[in-house]
Amino acid sequence: MFIQEKLRELDLPDVLKFKNGAQVKTLEDWEKRRDEVKQIIQENMYGVLPPRPLHLRAEEINSDAGFCAGKATLKNVSLISTFNDDDIFSFPVTYFIPVNRKSVPAILLINFRSDVPDKYLPAEELIDRGYAIFTFNYANVTSDTPDSPDGIYRNLNKHREKSKCIGKIACWAWAAMRVMDMIQSIGCIDKRNIAVAGHSRLGKTALLTAALDDRFAYAISNDSGCCGASLERGKGGERHSMITATFPHWFTPKFVTDISKNAEIEFDQHFLLSLIAPRHLLVGSAAEDSWADPMSEYLCTCKVNEVYALYGKKGLEHPDRAPVPGDSFDDGDNHYHLRAWKHYLSREDWNRYLDFMDKYVNR
Ligand code: GTR
């Protein structure tokens, strides 16, 4: 058993063992252990996310009923959060919904830019495939630089001591959950088929978002790598010590100063991915993306099958070998593909994710 042997060699911490040493045997046990895992992953890496704000409302900025030859309606809104202390934070969200459809599946793409379309957001192709898209520019939520406690970072950390501050990945994930709050009130969206997607650092963000918010039925991680879908143990390319040196602001301070330097941490990234079960996990890797380490992303995706089994599900169905470029594993509840070439969210990646989602979407 090639994959099982590889996983055994990594000697990963057991996600199915409670902190008190008891073993998870049933689904009921897992539901309890799941709370511990949520806590471990937040306290040690991303920070503990606060609840939703006191009030949330969307203010329409403009609407274009003729988007893409009239095949979709596009809206720009400002999503406004009001907090207990009367502080207000707003950020722009763009969405477009194919017209003349009753129950439209949706994907929330957390993106690097506001442009629609964008190199990572092929708007018309996505409309043609019948999906609504919601998107925001992560930099409008809080800036992606160290020592910049701006935007929502300021609101969410206002009443916390420094060591307990949440990192920016958690801030972007919190914002994605607020978009999900807004989506709940849009009648034509199929609430059972909403995905959250992101590339690279925003793939890490998409995974955290889905791990903590069960309303997302699909988590799409494209080339998310270190602190995303890749396991720290045995990983090539970027490791904890490197990511925290360059991007300390993505994480909770405890992870940067302490945990990331310890080889024997009590968790690994399969803890994060396990929280997505029994919902769908879609992981895409690029063959030349050695910084993210495709094999590590693959092994982590295989590893969480043990959690899907508790739900009577298969997780990822895969052959017992390393993936090769062009592989796309689609038969189980989860998806993995390895694309040729470099770190990028390509049309080819989108097609793989949509082909998988299409299997579950009733039209
Ligand atoms: C890299 C970082 C990766 C990945 C990437 C990206 O520099 O080391 O973890 O997140 O940025 O987001 O493009």
Side-chain angles (χ1 to χ4, degrees):
M1 293 291 276
F2 175 79
I3 297 294
Q4 287 313 318
E5 195 46 46
K6 286 268 172 223
L7 287 169
R8 241 192 314 278
E9 281 167 17
L10 296 179
D11 195 19
L12 297 167
D14 191 352
V15 76
L16 298 179
K17 195 183 248 171
F18 284 95
K19 280 182 172 169
N20 68 11
Q23 200 68 35
V24 169
K25 295 202 184 77
T26 62
L27 184 55
E28 217 182 349
D29 294 341
W30 168 249
E31 295 291 351
K32 293 197 190 92
R33 170 64 176 156
R34 193 170 182 266
D35 289 338
E36 277 189 2
V37 174
K38 269 190 187 174
Q39 192 191 357
I40 291 169
I41 215 80
Q42 290 182 85
E43 284 180 357
N44 291 300
M45 189 175 262
Y46 309 102
V48 180
L49 274 79
R52 65 182 63 191
L54 190 60
H55 298 296
L56 183 77
R57 74 188 170 86
E59 199 176 281
E60 189 171 310
I61 308 297
N62 64 287
S63 177
D64 174 7
F67 188 57
C68 284
K71 289 188 277 190
T73 300
L74 177 143
K75 286 185 194 290
N76 285 302
V77 301
S78 177
L79 197 53
I80 307 164
S81 297
T82 308
F83 297 90
N84 292 333
D85 54 11
D86 288 339
D87 259 11
I88 287 179
F89 176 77
S90 63
F91 65 101
V93 177
T94 300
Y95 62 90
F96 44 93
I97 304 179
V99 294
N100 298 334
R101 291 176 192 254
K102 278 210 182 66
S103 185
V104 191
I107 301 173
L108 164 55
L109 176 71
I110 311 167
N111 207 1
F112 294 91
R113 294 158 295 273
S114 308
D115 306 338
V116 176
D118 170 67
K119 66 176 182 177
Y120 290 162
L121 179 52
E124 186 169 357
E125 287 93 327
L126 294 165
I127 292 165
D128 288 344
R129 293 207 50 168
Y131 285 79
I133 300 293
F134 292 76
T135 187
F136 64 88
N137 176 351
Y138 81 138
N140 287 330
V141 171
T142 178
S143 58
D144 187 6
T145 46
D147 305 316
S148 52
D150 57 3
I152 200 67
Y153 181 92
R154 195 182 61 80
N155 301 93
L156 301 185
N157 285 314
K158 197 170 173 190
H159 304 292
R160 293 172 196 248
E161 53 182 86
K162 194 160 186 307
S163 68
K164 296 264 168 61
C165 282
I166 69 171
K168 300 247 171 167
I169 290 176
C171 292
W172 299 319
W174 189 90
M177 293 175 200
R178 304 295 68 84
V179 177
M180 182 52 132
D181 293 340
M182 176 187 81
I183 295 175
Q184 297 305 304
S185 63
I186 302 178
C188 64
I189 299 296
D190 174 0
K191 310 298 182 303
R192 288 165 302 120
N193 283 298
I194 304 175
V196 57
H199 168 63
S200 204
R201 69 199 69 186
L202 299 177
K204 310 180 210 297
T205 307
L207 288 169
L208 179 64
T209 306
L212 300 179
D213 190 335
D214 296 344
R215 295 173 297 178
F216 290 100
Y218 308 79
I220 300 178
S221 153
N222 196 77
D223 304 353
S224 63
C226 183
C227 299
S230 291
L231 295 160
E232 172 66 5
R233 284 165 177 78
K235 186 179 181 303
E238 188 176 36
R239 303 293 298 266
H240 283 174
S241 56
M242 305 169 187
I243 202 169
T244 52
T246 319
F247 304 105
H249 55 291
W250 289 355
F251 306 100
T252 189
K254 187 171 147 191
F255 183 67
V256 178
T257 55
D258 181 8
I259 299 165
S260 66
K261 302 198 166 47
N262 181 357
E264 288 308 310
I265 50 169
E266 60 168 318
F267 63 98
D268 210 316
Q269 292 308 108
H270 60 305
F271 278 47
L272 175 68
L273 269 51
S274 71
L275 295 171
I276 292 159
R279 295 164 292 137
H280 302 290
L281 169 65
L282 291 74
V283 174
S285 307
E288 292 181 25
D289 191 6
S290 53
W291 190 238
D293 192 347
M295 185 62 183
S296 184
E297 297 184 314
Y298 180 58
L299 288 173
C300 192
T301 309
C302 295
K303 177 67 182 162
V304 293
N305 280 1
E306 62 190 5
V307 178
Y308 282 82
L310 291 165
Y311 291 94
K313 293 190 166 253
K314 294 212 167 99
L316 183 73
E317 280 201 42
H318 59 86
D320 194 30
R321 59 164 173 80
V324 294
D327 272 343
S328 186
F329 304 140
D330 255 349
D331 292 338
D333 309 289
N334 291 341
H335 163 88
Y336 177 85
H337 73 260
L338 180 62
R339 170 178 59 69
W341 308 109
K342 297 182 195 304
H343 189 73
Y344 191 81
L345 173 51
S346 74
R347 303 292 195 275
E348 200 179 324
D349 295 309
W350 274 115
N351 282 331
R352 296 291 83 77
Y353 300 131
L354 295 179
D355 289 347
F356 179 83
M357 286 183 71
D358 274 351
K359 297 197 306 173
Y360 296 92
V361 172
N362 282 328
R363 294 181 198 274

